[in-house]
Amino acid sequence: MSTNSRIGKLLPDGRVRAITCHFDGYVEGGVGEDLLNHYSDSSKVDSLLDLGNLSALGKEIGEQQDFNDFTSHNQNWCLAYGRDRGESKMESKIVSLEEFQTNLDWPYLYLFKEGEWTFLDTYNRYSGWQTISSALNNINTEDEN
C-alpha cells in the first residue's frame, strides 16, 4: 500500500506551488528524509516541481525512463507521471496556502519555505507544522534512549 504525500514550495505571494507523490510519503526513510537530504536549495526544489506529479521521489531528478519497465528503473531517479509515463495534466498546481494545508487527501504535507523543509502529519493534526530536521533529530534521540 502506498503512503501519499503532497510537496510544495511557498511562493513570495503567499501561494504554494505543489505536486503529489504516490509512494513512500512518510518522514523517516521516505519523502521527508529525501527532500531534506537531496532537495535543499530553491533551484533544485523548482526543478523537482517542474516534473509534476510523481509516482516516486528519487534522490536525483534523473532522466526520462520507461515508467512500465520496472527492471530498467534507476532507483535513484524520480519517477514522474508526465515525463516517464506521458500522462497529461500532471503539472504542478498553484494553490492558496490554506488549500494546501487543509486539503487532507494526503497523510503528509511537505512545504519548502524560507530555505527549509517543513511538514505536517495530517493523521496527527495536533502536532502542527515542524521542520523535517527537528523531527528526524527527535526520532534519532528516541532511538538512542
Side-chain angles (χ1 to χ4, degrees), residues 21-142:
C21 184
H22 188 76
F23 286 106
D24 298 334
Y26 38 85
V27 178
E28 183 182 14
V31 166
E33 201 162 344
D34 281 342
L35 289 171
L36 180 67
N37 293 329
H38 304 288
Y39 297 91
S40 59
D41 67 71
S42 188
S43 63
K44 197 152 184 189
V45 174
D46 290 337
S47 295
L48 177 64
L49 296 173
D50 287 344
L51 283 177
N53 294 338
L54 304 173
S55 175
L57 177 67
K59 293 172 178 36
E60 303 171 32
I61 299 294
E63 299 174 10
Q64 184 174 8
Q65 52 189 331
D66 184 342
F67 190 96
N68 297 314
D69 183 3
F70 301 108
T71 62
S72 69
H73 285 175
N74 184 323
Q75 298 301 313
N76 289 319
W77 291 356
C78 292
L79 191 59
Y81 291 114
R83 179 190 70 186
D84 301 321
R85 193 155 71 176
E87 287 189 34
S88 60
K89 299 182 181 178
M90 291 290 121
E91 299 84 11
S92 63
K93 293 183 174 32
I94 306 289
V95 298
S96 70
L97 178 58
E98 181 179 349
E99 180 182 343
F100 180 79
Q101 61 190 8
T102 58
N103 187 337
L104 301 180
D105 292 337
W106 296 274
Y108 293 97
L109 304 178
Y110 294 98
L111 184 64
F112 188 77
K113 65 178 185 177
E114 300 172 7
E116 189 166 32
W117 280 107
T118 60
F119 79 98
L120 178 66
D121 175 352
T122 65
Y123 288 162
N124 186 10
R125 293 176 61 191
Y126 299 104
S127 65
W129 286 95
Q130 57 185 300
T131 65
I132 295 173
S133 58
S134 66
L136 291 174
N137 284 339
N138 289 340
I139 290 168
N140 291 334
T141 301
E142 290 171 5

